Amino acid sequence: MGTNTVNSGEQLDRQSRILEAALDLLSRHGISGVSMRSVAREAGVALGLVNYYYDDKTSLIRAALHRVDEHDLLLVTPDPDLTPDEQLRTALRRVAGADLLTTKYLSLRLHLWALAQADEGYAEINAAAFDRYIDGLATLVANARPGLSWAECRDRASDIVVIQNGMWLTSLLGVDKASIKRSIQRTEDIAFAPAPDAG
Amino acid sequence: MGTNTVNSGEQLDRQSRILEAALDLLSRHGISGVSMRSVAREAGVALGLVNYYYDDKTSLIRAALHRVDEHDLLLVTPDPDLTPDEQLRTALRRVAGADLLTTKYLSLRLHLWALAQADEGYAEINAAAFDRYIDGLATLVANARPGLSWAECRDRASDIVVIQNGMWLTSLLGVDKASIKRSIQRTEDIAFAPAPDAG
DNA sequence: ATGCATGTTGAACGAGTGTTCAATAGCAAG
DNA sequence: CTTGCTATTGAACACTCGTTCAACATGCAT
């Protein structure tokens, strides 16, 4: 046990502080606002330490991307205490929750999307995370509506994600909350729609 | 008439070439890829000329923003040869047109959104353009469905924009085209829905 | 005590940045 | 031709950037 064991929740270790600082700067000022120096300043450490924990600036951004993707996946992770129907409904409503519609989180997502668009490497990570998210959502649909084919569940998940992405983006532009509420309802309608006629 | 009159469509004037170069670089590499030097290189002019036509790098980016906003507004500009119903339907389907779903255009929009999120000045320009776009869409709805109140038209426009933004964004992430098609249909359903019951 | 691994610092380097500006070219008016 | 205006060039400035690295601190094993 090192001397740091006393820090029960006092503050994160330096590496986490650096990552947190990078996320903060990225959400507030975009990628142009994230320099190794500004990250070091924000984290309260020396410049060299950033390069000690993260070889590259690229590695640092990659780590940030993974952090956000991880957070995204939690949104479609089922709560075992709920029924399949409630699990799905909860997941769909979560995207309008107070913690999610924070400017910080939405801004972060937006900047990471932009980053992925400009860089091949980030794009792959992003695409993989996107696929996992759709898969998670489709699984929730499949559990709540066992009669549906997997393909149909994926389709519904895709359609829902289109609306969800729209909500996230449009929230940043300041659309009224009533519209967000109606959009949430629309995702639920898609998710819980009766099985389509065959043929 | 100067000597340049001969250049009928040969090539744009230098100022336009500079703006075009900036748009191109922005869509391909994001804001980090847009330096005064790279813009000059891409436009085939000397470094100094960029600062001659645009005082700042900020002015240059602002001009780019205005260019794209102008382009966006055209999407909801009615074609006088069509009936109000056709005008609305055409506008809604245009967003899935080949020219719009180009990676270049979508990428541009994404980077500009990200930029607006990081900079107060750009944000205002963006918000104003967003409002004008919704207004244009609401007007199309109002013309096609004269019975609706203006507030109801604005609501429908807001809901449609959420889905449209979602389509634009999700196209970049590589969602399948069938989902885009269904989403287009969804915007039409919203636009042409029967008038809601009063009370 | 000595040695060693890990953590931490800030100076230094070369490359790239936005902006300024004296110099030049082209052309129309006098 | 001379004057004046606009367009165009590229060198130069001060600055920030990502990365490297020698130096120092800390704690643990020998």
Side-chain angles (χ1 to χ4, degrees), chain A residues 152 155-164 182-183 185-191 193, chain B residues 92-93 156 159-161 163-164 167 178-193:
Chain A
E152 171 68 15
D155 280 358
R156 293 189 182 194
S158 295
D159 292 5
I160 289 169
V161 164
V162 167
I163 299 183
Q164 286 185 339
R182 290 193 299 271
S183 299
Q185 182 57 49
R186 216 158 265 135
T187 62
E188 294 188 25
D189 291 346
I190 296 174
Chain B
L92 293 178
R93 293 190 178 170
R156 292 190 181 193
D159 291 5
I160 289 170
V161 165
I163 299 184
Q164 286 184 339
M167 285 190 287
S179 179
I180 297 292
K181 222 174 152 187
R182 289 193 299 273
S183 299
I184 293 270
Q185 182 59 50
R186 215 158 267 132
T187 61
E188 295 189 24
D189 291 346
I190 295 173
F192 292 110

Side-chain angles (χ1 to χ4, degrees), chain A residues 12-22 39 43 45 49-50 52-54 60 63:
Chain A
L12 300 159
D13 59 309
R14 320 271 268 201
Q15 177 161 15
S16 300
R17 286 238 307 273
I18 290 171
L19 182 56
E20 219 58 42
V39 168
V45 302
L49 201 61
V50 181
Y52 177 76
Y53 284 116
Y54 300 93
L60 176 59

Side-chain angles (χ1 to χ4, degrees), chain A residues 7-196:
Chain A
N7 302 352
S8 56
E10 178 210 283
Q11 62 182 9
L12 300 159
D13 59 309
R14 320 271 268 201
Q15 177 161 15
S16 300
R17 286 238 307 273
I18 290 171
L19 182 56
E20 219 58 42
L23 287 164
D24 222 63
L25 286 167
L26 187 57
S27 84
R28 294 208 320 263
H29 306 117
I31 187 62
S32 317
V34 182
S35 68
M36 303 302 262
R37 281 171 178 81
S38 65
V39 168
R41 199 180 321 122
E42 183 87 0
V45 302
L47 168 62
L49 201 61
V50 181
N51 271 305
Y52 177 76
Y53 284 116
Y54 300 93
D55 291 346
D56 276 330
K57 180 176 179 180
T58 302
S59 307
L60 176 59
I61 302 295
R62 250 200 310 264
L65 228 178
H66 278 124
R67 256 284 305 252
V68 174
D69 287 345
E70 206 175 299
H71 181 266
D72 284 351
L73 254 192
L74 279 180
L75 296 176
V76 290
T77 300
D79 177 345
D81 292 344
L82 303 176
T83 69
D85 260 52
E86 289 170 333
Q87 284 175 6
L88 178 52
R89 205 176 300 272
T90 303
L92 294 178
R93 294 188 179 172
R94 221 176 338 230
V95 312
D99 53 329
L100 240 275
L101 283 193
T102 320
T103 301
K104 166 162 180 184
Y105 172 77
L106 295 177
S107 187
L108 203 44
R109 256 261 135 267
L110 180 57
H111 286 300
L112 287 175
W113 271 325
L115 220 49
Q117 196 53 35
D119 182 294
E120 182 69 31
Y122 300 147
E124 286 176 26
I125 301 177
N126 224 35
F130 180 67
D131 258 5
R132 284 206 309 276
Y133 182 85
I134 287 202
D135 244 58
L137 201 48
T139 302
L140 289 180
V141 173
N143 291 342
R145 287 283 177 275
L148 296 178
S149 72
W150 176 247
E152 171 68 15
C153 292
R154 286 278 302 194
D155 280 358
R156 293 189 182 194
S158 295
D159 292 5
I160 289 169
V161 164
V162 167
I163 299 183
Q164 286 185 339
N165 282 344
M167 285 190 287
W168 292 358
L169 193 57
T170 318
S171 305
L172 281 176
L173 302 178
V175 86
D176 60 326
K177 298 195 175 170
S179 179
I180 297 291
K181 221 174 152 189
R182 290 193 299 271
S183 299
I184 293 270
Q185 182 57 49
R186 216 158 265 135
T187 62
E188 294 188 25
D189 291 346
I190 296 174
F192 291 111

